[in-house]
């Protein structure tokens, strides 16, 4: 597995435009596959997750045509009964495994959904049981899963305390159910902003979700989705690494085409940085994050912006005082256990990091030592670890190719702003 060592850092007031959001792209691809006609997506991010999503909808009968760099046309599924069993490979994409399992259950023919060995360990019981309750034949509660629809609709209870992806997948899939679907939400819904992201995407395609109450959603049956042309907004999570890079380099970073209107919780990460002492300026679609003095540790609920927790933990290493991050139990069910794996790896630096099932506590401004930090095959960990090298020499990120999942050009982007890395054995 390729490893990368941070060699040097000379970052001075960079201007960065990050690629399109994979979170939005995953939703748009699924909805385009269920639409009647052709959807054009531009600024589509080029990464392993999106390649897997495009290939999956092709296997289900959608037509995918590459038009230009970052521009793809998707013609929706015409025949929901395929001549033979379709086998889908979600690779390392947990989002796709939940979304495509739900979407595939609209087909009247058999579909097998599989993924990498790592993804086979991630929970699927909530979505598989919900689909059974909605009339779909589902073989198991873990990947690989064999299923056969179509979704009949009805009334189903769904535990959303571990992941919002189950609900997002069902919201999309049940748009085509034979009768109205009522989803009763149980437990504390995590990452609720991602549910709003899904609702907004459905609305773009002309779909309707009705809120019966705070814990009950109605999806009217057999909806006709209208194809559309969409320019995908920049990825707000990817933006977080460059905000952090600028602060660690004690300079200013300007992010262009920043999506201030995104309901995604991570779009508000700059407010967390402001609470730590960063200077923040919003100028039209530009976000300017500036260093004024050493960051201060804070007490912060990150329940609605889980994917930037690794970025925040790295910043907290260099902040004055203690940082307490809580309401993050759902991080245990990401590409890695982002509580245990993140903290155990960063402890190799010789710092004081404590954690439990729902929180991380970091004592900042401690002396560090060089270390090999394993990405645990998690793209978010790999990208965050590289930032440590801005302050501490001798940082090696092992299994560094994990970034290909969401941001294959990440190392090139770092090079462009002045953070130099090289491949090592």
């Amino acid at each position: 597995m390729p490893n990368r060592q941070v060699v040097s850092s000379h970052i001075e007031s960079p201007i960065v435009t990050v690629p399109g959001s994979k979170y939005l792209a995953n939703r748009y691809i699924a909805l385009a596959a269920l639409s009647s006609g052709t959807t054009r997506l531009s600024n589509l991010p080029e990464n392993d997750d999106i390649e897997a999503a495009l290939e999956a909808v092709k296997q289900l009968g959608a037509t995918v045509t590459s038009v230009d760099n970052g521009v793809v046309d998707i013609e929706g599924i015409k025949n929901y009964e395929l001549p033979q069993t379709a086998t889908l490979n979600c690779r390392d994409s947990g989002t796709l495994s939940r979304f495509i399992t739900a979407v595939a259950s609209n087909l009247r023919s058999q579909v097998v959904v599989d993924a990498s060995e790592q993804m086979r360990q991630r929970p699927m019981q909530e979505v598989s049981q919900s689909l059974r309750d909605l009339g779909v034949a589902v073989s198991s509660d873990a990947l690989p899963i064999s299923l056969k629809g179509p979704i009949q609709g009805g009334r189903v209870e769904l535990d959303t305390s571990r992941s919002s992806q189950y609900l997002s997948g069902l919201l999309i899939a049940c748009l085509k159910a034979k009768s109205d679907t009522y989803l009763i939400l149980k437990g504390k819904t995590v990452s609720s902003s991602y549910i709003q992201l899904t609702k907004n995407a459905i609305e773009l395609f002309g779909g309707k979700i009705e809120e019966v109450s705070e814990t009950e959603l109605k999806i009217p049956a057999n909806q006709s989705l209208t194809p559309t042309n969409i320019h995908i907004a920049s990825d707000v999570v990817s933006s977080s690494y460059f905000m952090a890079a600028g602060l660690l380099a004690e300079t200013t970073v300007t992010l262009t085409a920043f999506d201030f209107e995104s309901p995604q919780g991570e779009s508000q990460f700059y407010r967390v940085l402001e609470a730590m002492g960063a200077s923040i300026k919003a100028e039209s679609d530009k976000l300017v994050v500036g260093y004024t003095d050493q960051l201060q540790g804070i007490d912060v609920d990150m329940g609605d912006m889980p994917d930037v927790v690794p970025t925040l933990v790295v910043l907290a290493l260099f902040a004055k005082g203690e940082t307490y991050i809580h309401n993050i139990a759902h991080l245990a069910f990401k590409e890695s256990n982002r509580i245990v794996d993140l903290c155990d790896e960063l402890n190799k630096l010789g710092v004081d990091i404590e954690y439990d099932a729902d929180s991380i506590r970091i004592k900042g401004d401690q002396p560090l030592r060089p270390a090999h930090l394993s990405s645990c095959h998690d793209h978010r960990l790999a990208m965050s670890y590289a930032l440590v090298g801005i302050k501490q020499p001798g940082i090696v990120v092992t299994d560094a190719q994990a970034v290909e999942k969401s941001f294959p050009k990440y190392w090139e982007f770092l090079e462009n702003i002045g953070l130099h890395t090289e491949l090592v054995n």
Side-chain angles (χ1 to χ4, degrees), residues 352-381:
D352 185 1
I353 302 179
E354 299 176 350
Y355 61 87
D356 58 27
D358 190 49
S359 68
I360 299 174
R361 191 182 300 273
I362 310 104
K363 188 177 292 184
D365 206 18
Q366 301 176 70
L368 307 183
R369 61 186 179 223
H372 284 59
L373 304 175
S374 171
S375 75
C376 303
H377 203 54
D378 187 327
H379 56 138
R380 299 291 172 213
L381 302 193

Side-chain angles (χ1 to χ4, degrees), residues 234 236 239 243 255-260 267 270 285-287:
S234 291
V236 292
S239 297
M243 297 181 205
L255 292 158
T256 63
F258 188 81
D259 188 10
F260 288 101
S267 68
Y270 66 90
D285 67 342
K286 294 181 181 178
L287 175 65

Side-chain angles (χ1 to χ4, degrees), residues 215-370:
T215 58
E216 183 175 352
L217 299 172
K218 176 186 175 182
I219 306 137
N222 201 26
Q223 296 186 43
S224 178
L225 300 181
T226 305
T228 185
N229 296 335
I230 301 172
H231 181 84
I232 300 170
S234 291
D235 190 294
V236 292
V237 178
S238 296
S239 297
S240 76
Y241 306 115
F242 302 99
M243 297 181 205
L247 292 173
L248 292 173
E250 301 182 10
T251 187
T252 296
V253 62
T254 300
L255 292 158
T256 63
F258 188 81
D259 188 10
F260 288 101
E261 301 302 316
S262 172
Q264 192 175 341
E266 284 86 354
S267 68
Q268 301 300 305
F269 182 55
Y270 66 90
R271 297 194 182 279
V272 176
L273 302 182
E274 189 173 36
M276 297 178 79
S279 166
I280 302 295
K281 294 179 183 178
E283 303 173 351
S284 183
D285 67 342
K286 294 181 181 178
L287 175 65
V288 183
V289 179
Y291 178 88
T292 56
D293 201 350
Q294 184 179 15
L295 297 181
Q296 302 292 313
I298 56 171
D299 182 322
V300 59
D301 181 333
M302 294 295 285
D304 209 30
M305 51 180 90
D307 281 356
V308 291
V309 167
T311 318
L312 177 57
V313 170
V314 166
L315 280 172
L317 294 174
F318 305 97
K320 185 177 181 180
E322 187 175 87
T323 296
Y324 179 56
I325 302 166
H326 49 93
N327 192 23
I328 56 170
H330 46 306
L331 285 182
F333 306 105
K334 298 291 186 177
E335 282 76 1
S336 67
N337 183 326
R338 284 192 193 149
I339 299 176
V340 175
D341 294 334
L342 172 67
C343 295
D344 285 353
E345 288 302 309
L346 290 179
N347 273 325
K348 294 177 180 177
L349 298 168
V351 297
D352 185 1
I353 302 179
E354 299 176 350
Y355 61 87
D356 58 27
D358 190 49
S359 68
I360 299 174
R361 191 182 300 273
I362 310 104
K363 188 177 292 184
D365 206 18
Q366 301 176 70
L368 307 183
R369 61 186 179 223

Side-chain angles (χ1 to χ4, degrees), residues 2-6 395-400 411 421-424:
N3 304 326
R4 276 197 177 265
Q5 181 168 358
V6 179
I395 298 301
V396 177
V397 181
T398 65
D399 198 7
W411 303 111
T421 67
E422 63 182 17
L423 289 170
V424 294

Side-chain angles (χ1 to χ4, degrees), residues 15-26:
I15 299 173
V16 183
T17 304
V18 302
S21 166
K22 82 180 186 78
Y23 303 91
L24 293 172
N26 268 313

Side-chain angles (χ1 to χ4, degrees), residues 34-351:
L34 295 175
S35 298
S36 301
T38 300
T39 293
R40 173 162 291 186
L41 301 177
S42 58
N43 198 33
L44 188 72
E46 298 178 12
N47 58 51
D48 192 67
D49 275 16
I50 298 307
E51 286 179 9
L54 292 172
E55 183 59 33
V57 296
K58 282 172 62 177
Q59 293 297 320
L60 293 178
T63 302
V64 179
T65 306
S66 179
V67 178
D68 200 354
N69 185 32
V71 181
V72 169
D73 285 348
I74 302 173
E75 185 179 4
I77 299 167
K78 293 180 179 178
N79 186 355
Y80 283 81
E81 187 159 5
L82 302 176
Q84 58 189 19
T85 299
T87 300
L88 314 180
N89 182 1
C90 298
R91 306 184 194 178
D92 280 333
S93 178
T95 302
L96 179 61
S97 69
R98 278 73 177 267
F99 280 22
I100 210 66
T101 299
V103 172
S105 61
N106 280 286
L107 272 69
R108 296 187 293 274
S109 49
Q110 189 174 50
V111 178
V112 176
V113 182
D114 202 358
S116 67
E117 188 61 37
Q118 185 174 12
M119 287 302 103
R120 288 179 178 181
Q121 311 307 313
R122 293 182 68 173
M124 291 285 289
Q125 183 175 1
E126 286 88 343
V127 69
S128 58
Q129 186 55 52
S130 295
L131 291 174
R132 290 188 190 102
D133 294 341
L134 294 170
V136 180
V138 184
S139 66
S140 69
D141 294 330
L143 297 173
I145 289 174
S146 175
L147 53 91
K148 185 175 182 180
I151 294 177
Q152 297 302 313
R155 195 173 184 88
V156 63
E157 293 186 354
L158 179 67
D159 182 357
T160 56
S161 62
R162 285 206 287 184
S163 175
S164 65
Q165 291 171 358
Y166 309 125
L167 177 54
S168 284
L170 288 173
L171 289 176
I172 293 170
C174 292
L175 296 168
K176 292 290 186 180
K178 302 305 177 185
S179 60
D180 293 349
T181 305
Y182 294 85
L183 299 179
I184 315 302
L185 311 183
K186 298 292 185 181
K188 181 182 179 182
T189 300
V190 296
S191 305
S192 58
S193 64
Y194 285 83
I195 304 303
Q196 190 60 50
L197 212 64
T198 303
K199 290 178 180 178
N200 290 358
I202 289 171
E203 188 175 339
L204 274 178
F205 285 81
K208 295 181 179 179
I209 305 293
E210 299 176 12
E211 293 189 10
V212 179
S213 70
E214 288 186 0
T215 58
E216 183 175 352
L217 299 172
K218 176 186 175 182
I219 306 137
N222 201 26
Q223 296 186 43
S224 178
L225 300 181
T226 305
T228 185
N229 296 335
I230 301 172
H231 181 84
I232 300 170
S234 291
D235 190 294
V236 292
V237 178
S238 296
S239 297
S240 76
Y241 306 115
F242 302 99
M243 297 181 205
L247 292 173
L248 292 173
E250 301 182 10
T251 187
T252 296
V253 62
T254 300
L255 292 158
T256 63
F258 188 81
D259 188 10
F260 288 101
E261 301 302 316
S262 172
Q264 192 175 341
E266 284 86 354
S267 68
Q268 301 300 305
F269 182 55
Y270 66 90
R271 297 194 182 279
V272 176
L273 302 182
E274 189 173 36
M276 297 178 79
S279 166
I280 302 295
K281 294 179 183 178
E283 303 173 351
S284 183
D285 67 342
K286 294 181 181 178
L287 175 65
V288 183
V289 179
Y291 178 88
T292 56
D293 201 350
Q294 184 179 15
L295 297 181
Q296 302 292 313
I298 56 171
D299 182 322
V300 59
D301 181 333
M302 294 295 285
D304 209 30
M305 51 180 90
D307 281 356
V308 291
V309 167
T311 318
L312 177 57
V313 170
V314 166
L315 280 172
L317 294 174
F318 305 97
K320 185 177 181 180
E322 187 175 87
T323 296
Y324 179 56
I325 302 166
H326 49 93
N327 192 23
I328 56 170
H330 46 306
L331 285 182
F333 306 105
K334 298 291 186 177
E335 282 76 1
S336 67
N337 183 326
R338 284 192 193 149
I339 299 176
V340 175
D341 294 334
L342 172 67
C343 295
D344 285 353
E345 288 302 309
L346 290 179
N347 273 325
K348 294 177 180 177
L349 298 168
V351 297

